[in-house]
Amino acid sequence: MLSGVRSAARRKLFRSEHEWLGGSWSELAGGDTGSSHWWTTLENNFVLEASEDQYGGVLVDADRLPSDQAAFARSLAASLSYWKSVGKKGVWLKLPVDRSEFVPIAVKEGFKYHHAEEAYLMLTYWIPEEPSLLPANASHQVGVGGFVINDQMEVLVVQEKYHSLGLDGVWKIPTGFIQASEEIYTGAIREVKEETGVDTEFVDVVAFRHAHNVAFQKSDLFFMCMLRPLSNAIKIDETEIQAAKWMPLEELVKQPFIQEDHMFQKIMDICIQRLRKCYCGLTAHNLVSKFDGRASTLYYNVDEPEDVNCDAA
């Protein structure tokens, strides 16, 4: 009789992911993603607690992993068996740095590296016997430059403490990388402030460059921003910057480095045309899309009579 009860229980377990552990899908649902969580036993092994994503995959809860390697190995094998049986597709396994000893176990089960951050490593497993549809790791890094010019037609320039060969003595505009969840224009303002101590406000994006196979074989997007100075005093970041100053625009453009580089020469030409109001850049506008319901920034050109920054037809 007892064995019959156990068999019935196992059949119920596999019948539907929505009807097990004595509760319904709606009773277990939680979180701001509308996902569901589960934790049960399968042949005396735990199925890892996870949530379902909108693409038929699962996201393993990194905060509820077993505490030792043996238990993790058993639970991971049981979990994969269960997820395969109910038709799941992709598995996302986030292993915090204090669970790094689990990495070889996951790799042995067939998981692949996806990306790593300071505090964790993300691995993935594609269940169907077909090419994986899981999105790849981030493909780009994003850089910004701040072209800051005052009423005396002087440009804020820096000499970097660490630079590539051939750039000794070269004066350039402040540049850097934007941070996670940072806007392009706020990143440019921040970089200028950090490197030179000068406060600025955003005018527009005048150009951007797209390059490939840069750092770690990633692609690179670099946005040139026109900024208006709000202060003049310079206080450099001595960890990164050797020197900074206000340089006459004409002197900046005449540098051999600029004259001999078609990319930088073109950027300077664009900035000069922008100053003459013969070229219109892309301004930032906050909008909300029904696609995801989130606020985001759309950069586009505004060609209106009242736009005093641009007279270009």
Side-chain angles (χ1 to χ4, degrees):
M1 179 64 179
L2 182 58
S3 61
V5 172
R6 287 176 178 168
S7 298
R10 291 194 188 108
R11 286 195 298 272
K12 182 178 181 181
L13 175 64
F14 281 99
R15 185 165 59 241
S16 170
E17 62 183 310
H18 294 201
E19 302 172 330
W20 62 305
L21 198 56
S24 68
W25 182 269
S26 61
E27 288 171 343
L28 295 174
D32 57 6
T33 61
S35 301
S36 298
H37 300 264
W38 54 86
W39 185 271
T40 190
T41 57
L42 182 61
E43 298 293 345
N44 298 319
N45 290 325
F46 282 106
V47 172
L48 296 171
E49 184 166 342
S51 59
E52 184 184 61
D53 65 24
Q54 60 182 315
Y55 303 106
V58 292
L59 305 138
V60 177
D61 189 339
D63 296 326
R64 300 293 298 275
L65 293 170
S67 58
D68 64 85
Q69 296 182 54
F72 174 72
R74 292 194 301 269
S75 296
L76 186 60
S79 300
L80 289 174
S81 294
Y82 174 70
W83 293 328
K84 290 176 182 178
S85 73
V86 295
K88 294 303 176 187
K89 296 181 178 180
V91 181
W92 296 87
L93 176 62
K94 179 179 179 181
L95 294 180
V97 67
D98 62 357
R99 292 290 188 272
S100 58
E101 70 273 17
F102 292 173
V103 174
I105 299 172
V107 172
K108 187 176 180 179
E109 283 287 356
F111 279 80
K112 299 182 183 300
Y113 296 144
H114 188 268
H115 69 272
E117 294 290 347
E118 226 176 83
Y120 72 86
L121 173 68
M122 182 68 79
L123 300 101
T124 61
Y125 187 100
W126 182 249
I127 295 175
E129 294 182 359
E130 58 187 38
S132 175
L133 298 180
L134 294 176
N137 184 25
S139 60
H140 287 66
Q141 63 181 13
V142 181
V144 288
F147 186 86
V148 187
I149 189 164
N150 61 23
D151 294 337
Q152 288 73 49
M153 297 297 287
E154 296 172 324
V155 181
L156 182 62
V157 293
V158 299
Q159 286 185 340
E160 294 181 340
K161 183 168 290 187
Y162 307 102
H163 51 72
S164 58
L165 295 176
L167 294 182
D168 289 334
V170 171
W171 292 94
K172 57 180 285 294
I173 64 171
T175 60
F177 293 105
I178 66 170
Q179 300 172 350
S181 302
E182 184 176 44
E183 294 288 349
I184 292 169
Y185 67 92
T186 55
I189 292 171
R190 176 187 51 77
E191 282 291 341
V192 170
K193 177 67 174 179
E194 289 178 355
E195 293 189 0
T196 70
V198 175
D199 295 308
T200 61
E201 66 179 357
F202 175 72
V203 178
D204 50 25
V205 172
V206 295
F208 69 91
R209 182 204 67 173
H210 195 195
H212 305 287
N213 298 317
V214 187
F216 307 106
Q217 289 72 54
K218 299 295 184 181
S219 296
D220 179 273
L221 282 168
F222 178 82
F223 292 85
M224 177 63 66
C225 298
M226 180 78 72
L227 304 177
R228 183 179 296 110
L230 300 177
S231 64
N232 294 307
I234 292 175
K235 184 179 180 180
I236 66 170
D237 175 6
E238 296 182 355
T239 61
E240 294 186 33
I241 303 301
Q242 186 69 38
K245 67 178 182 179
W246 292 98
M247 173 182 280
L249 174 60
E250 184 177 359
E251 184 180 341
L252 171 64
V253 174
K254 285 183 178 180
Q255 286 187 109
F257 174 75
I258 300 294
Q259 292 296 315
E260 296 169 5
D261 189 290
H262 296 300
M263 178 75 70
F264 283 100
Q265 190 177 55
K266 186 61 179 178
I267 290 174
M268 289 299 103
D269 288 343
I270 291 172
C271 290
I272 290 171
Q273 293 302 312
R274 180 68 186 83
L275 291 171
R276 293 172 178 171
K277 298 183 180 181
C278 298
Y279 177 93
C280 299
L282 305 177
T283 54
H285 304 266
N286 294 320
L287 299 170
V288 176
S289 170
K290 287 187 177 180
F291 180 76
D292 57 10
R294 297 181 180 181
S296 59
T297 304
L298 183 66
Y299 292 81
Y300 60 90
N301 173 262
V302 178
D303 186 13
E304 299 176 355
E306 59 268 26
D307 184 0
V308 297
N309 294 316
C310 176
D311 293 333

